Amino acid sequence: MKLSNQTSKQADCTTDTFIAERFVKTKNTEFVLSLDGNCLIYILKGNVKISFSFYKQEQLPERHFFLLPIHNSCYFQVDEDDTTILCFHLPCELISLIATKYQYKKIPDNFASKILKSSEVLDGFFDRMDIFLKDGLKNNEFFKLKFSELIYLLNAYYPLKDLQAFFNPILNRDSLFVNAVRKNIQQANSVKELAELLHYSTSGLEKRFKKVFGVPAGKWITEERAKNIYNEIRCTKKTFSEIAFEYGFYSPSHFYSFCKTHFGDIPGKIRKRL
């Protein structure tokens, strides 16, 4: 993947980053969004292939939208000229509002549940948002109000079960804890390191982690690292030494052994195959 076109934006509860963005891309463009926040991404015009987590090159037609949970990188392949993508960083207060409306459930993890097709009413909403962004309107408070309107429209025009599945990736029994974990996970290679970053004792983090995520912290950390590393191998042109260094491997052999264990092959063969 050509990362000369890479776009990297960060937004969280403590930054002043503008919370709505508009991207227009030409045919055959490949780029990545690395977003330190929960984001709603809407394909206004054109068809794209997206890859994130373990989802590889899923086709996303125009007038569809999906949620990208905090601390995920999404890789785009653009199939048409003038493809227009809108990206909205969901503010913390909106996440809290969503959490009060929908209860976290253990549901099957599949790509179809993560996307929604826009309705005629939603098309009109996103068309107006596109006009605001094209006209250079940049006021976070205004866009926060519009996001609240979006939630209202979703509740009015979509079945509860569809919204439950759609929002599930950013919901949990403790969304603030989940966001803190995801925000710091890239800097932590072990449960002990994550506990230090979150100001927990190791045993305290293990106990709360199991309660909130339903799995041991060490298992979850390993699985999240595996997802991100797999994406780096298949979707970037970084050298394997660069990837190994960024993810805290102390030697190439350790990195190769990790790939063999989790992906069934060494990184060179994985990249060549994909």
Side-chain angles (χ1 to χ4, degrees), residues 240-273:
F240 301 137
S241 296
E242 289 173 330
I243 297 172
F245 177 78
E246 288 178 10
Y247 284 88
F249 292 94
Y250 299 110
S251 68
S253 60
H254 184 201
F255 176 62
Y256 277 55
S257 177
F258 180 92
C259 294
K260 187 76 173 178
T261 299
H262 292 276
F263 314 134
D265 217 333
I266 60 175
K269 289 186 177 180
I270 294 170
R271 180 171 284 177
K272 184 177 180 180
R273 183 172 68 246

Side-chain angles (χ1 to χ4, degrees), residues 67-113:
L67 280 177
L68 186 65
I70 187 171
H71 197 73
N72 271 271
S73 293
C74 187
Y75 299 86
F76 292 82
Q77 291 179 296
V78 177
D79 294 336
E80 302 173 21
D81 285 330
D82 298 322
T83 292
T84 305
I85 300 168
L86 306 182
C87 177
F88 305 103
H89 306 260
L90 302 182
C92 293
E93 55 267 35
L94 189 63
I95 300 296
S96 299
L97 175 64
I98 292 169
T100 62
K101 288 182 176 292
Y102 309 105
Q103 184 179 2
Y104 174 80
K105 290 184 177 180
K106 186 73 173 179
I107 62 174
D109 187 11
N110 61 79
F111 182 74
S113 68

Side-chain angles (χ1 to χ4, degrees), residues 179-218:
N179 283 347
V181 168
R182 290 190 176 279
K183 184 177 178 181
N184 288 280
I185 189 63
Q186 194 166 12
Q187 287 74 48
N189 294 318
S190 66
V191 176
K192 181 180 179 181
E193 290 180 10
L194 183 60
E196 291 173 352
L197 289 169
L198 298 180
H199 307 291
Y200 277 79
S201 67
T202 302
S203 60
L205 180 67
E206 288 275 19
K207 183 177 180 180
R208 188 168 188 189
F209 210 99
K210 185 66 181 291
K211 181 181 178 182
V212 173
F213 285 89
V215 296

Side-chain angles (χ1 to χ4, degrees), residues 43-56:
I43 311 303
L44 180 73
K45 180 182 177 184
N47 299 309
V48 299
K49 293 186 181 72
I50 63 172
S51 301
F52 70 97
S53 187
F54 279 132
Y55 302 106
K56 177 181 178 293

Side-chain angles (χ1 to χ4, degrees), residues 88-262:
F88 305 103
H89 306 260
L90 302 182
C92 293
E93 55 267 35
L94 189 63
I95 300 296
S96 299
L97 175 64
I98 292 169
T100 62
K101 288 182 176 292
Y102 309 105
Q103 184 179 2
Y104 174 80
K105 290 184 177 180
K106 186 73 173 179
I107 62 174
D109 187 11
N110 61 79
F111 182 74
S113 68
K114 298 181 184 300
I115 63 171
L116 285 177
K117 185 181 187 303
S118 184
S119 66
E120 184 176 347
V121 173
L122 266 292
D123 285 344
F125 173 87
F126 285 114
D127 286 341
R128 290 192 298 275
M129 299 291 272
D130 184 52
I131 292 172
F132 297 147
L133 292 171
K134 282 194 294 186
D135 288 348
L137 180 59
K138 291 192 174 184
N139 183 291
N140 277 344
E141 293 307 314
F142 171 76
F143 276 91
K144 287 178 182 179
L145 291 173
K146 300 302 291 183
F147 294 167
S148 296
E149 176 186 340
L150 172 62
I151 298 302
Y152 182 85
L153 293 174
L154 288 171
N155 287 330
Y157 289 97
Y158 289 83
L160 176 62
K161 64 179 180 63
D162 291 348
L163 296 177
Q164 184 90 58
F166 180 74
F167 285 118
N168 212 57
I170 64 172
L171 298 177
N172 213 298
R173 292 177 285 264
D174 190 334
S175 58
L176 292 178
F177 177 71
V178 172
N179 283 347
V181 168
R182 290 190 176 279
K183 184 177 178 181
N184 288 280
I185 189 63
Q186 194 166 12
Q187 287 74 48
N189 294 318
S190 66
V191 176
K192 181 180 179 181
E193 290 180 10
L194 183 60
E196 291 173 352
L197 289 169
L198 298 180
H199 307 291
Y200 277 79
S201 67
T202 302
S203 60
L205 180 67
E206 288 275 19
K207 183 177 180 180
R208 188 168 188 189
F209 210 99
K210 185 66 181 291
K211 181 181 178 182
V212 173
F213 285 89
V215 296
K219 178 181 179 182
W220 188 90
I221 290 172
T222 300
E223 289 177 350
E224 286 298 303
R225 291 182 75 218
K227 291 177 184 178
N228 292 330
I229 288 169
Y230 191 64
N231 259 326
E232 297 277 12
I233 292 171
R234 73 186 185 186
C235 296
T236 77
K237 289 188 176 180
K238 292 179 182 178
T239 67
F240 301 137
S241 296
E242 289 173 330
I243 297 172
F245 177 78
E246 288 178 10
Y247 284 88
F249 292 94
Y250 299 110
S251 68
S253 60
H254 184 201
F255 176 62
Y256 277 55
S257 177
F258 180 92
C259 294
K260 187 76 173 178
T261 299
H262 292 276

